[in-house]
Amino acid sequence: QVQLIQSGGGLVQAGDSLKLSCTASGPNFNPEVMGWFRQSPGKERDFVASLTWDIATKYYSDSTEGRFAISRDKAKNTLYLQMDNLKPTDTAVYYCAAGLKFAPRWPSEYNWWGQGAQVTVSS
């Protein structure tokens, strides 16, 4: 059974940076895609960024492209999200996810999820 364990998150000020990590465990871990999503209270889970696990083709939402960078270390089965120039509107619980299908922007297509990490950006 695949498990995704997240680390990172916290409280920062606008303009600061944070890095999230997500490490997968389980036999024969080889997803098609891995991604980051975020969810604010009362809102749907929104796409942030994703990449294809094999060759790391990357995808970003309009609101995060240029400020966030997704990356992965295949040897460590770890996904990262470097978040720079954070804004109060980035405040949310951030989730990593792994999927077996190529549907990089759709949370419903992902098979496994991390436990979530709160990111709070103060103005």
Side-chain angles (χ1 to χ4, degrees):
Q1 179 70 13
V2 172
Q3 286 190 315
L4 303 181
I5 305 298
Q6 295 181 222
S7 61
L11 172 63
V12 297
Q13 293 186 332
D16 285 352
S17 298
L18 274 178
K19 188 172 185 177
L20 305 180
S21 300
C22 172
T23 300
S25 63
N28 302 316
F29 181 72
N30 189 31
E32 181 66 27
V33 293
M34 287 197 75
W36 292 97
F37 295 81
R38 65 188 182 186
Q39 189 167 20
S40 302
K43 295 187 178 181
E44 294 183 350
R45 194 165 294 188
D46 291 333
F47 169 71
V48 173
S50 63
L51 53 72
T52 57
W53 188 246
D54 188 22
I55 62 172
T57 301
K58 300 173 183 179
Y59 305 86
Y60 293 95
S61 69
D62 291 342
S63 63
T64 60
E65 189 164 19
R67 299 188 298 121
F68 291 11
I70 189 171
S71 62
R72 59 97 170 94
D73 185 332
K74 288 184 72 176
K76 296 181 179 179
N77 279 351
T78 299
L79 182 74
Y80 303 99
L81 184 68
Q82 176 67 43
M83 303 183 290
D84 297 325
N85 191 22
L86 282 160
K87 303 176 180 180
T89 50
D90 295 318
T91 296
V93 177
Y94 284 70
Y95 296 90
C96 67
L100 298 175
K101 295 172 59 176
F102 180 71
R105 299 177 183 268
W106 303 108
S108 61
E109 299 298 326
Y110 283 73
N111 300 93
W112 301 284
W113 291 85
Q115 79 275 22
Q118 177 70 47
V119 172
T120 302
V121 185
S122 64
S123 58

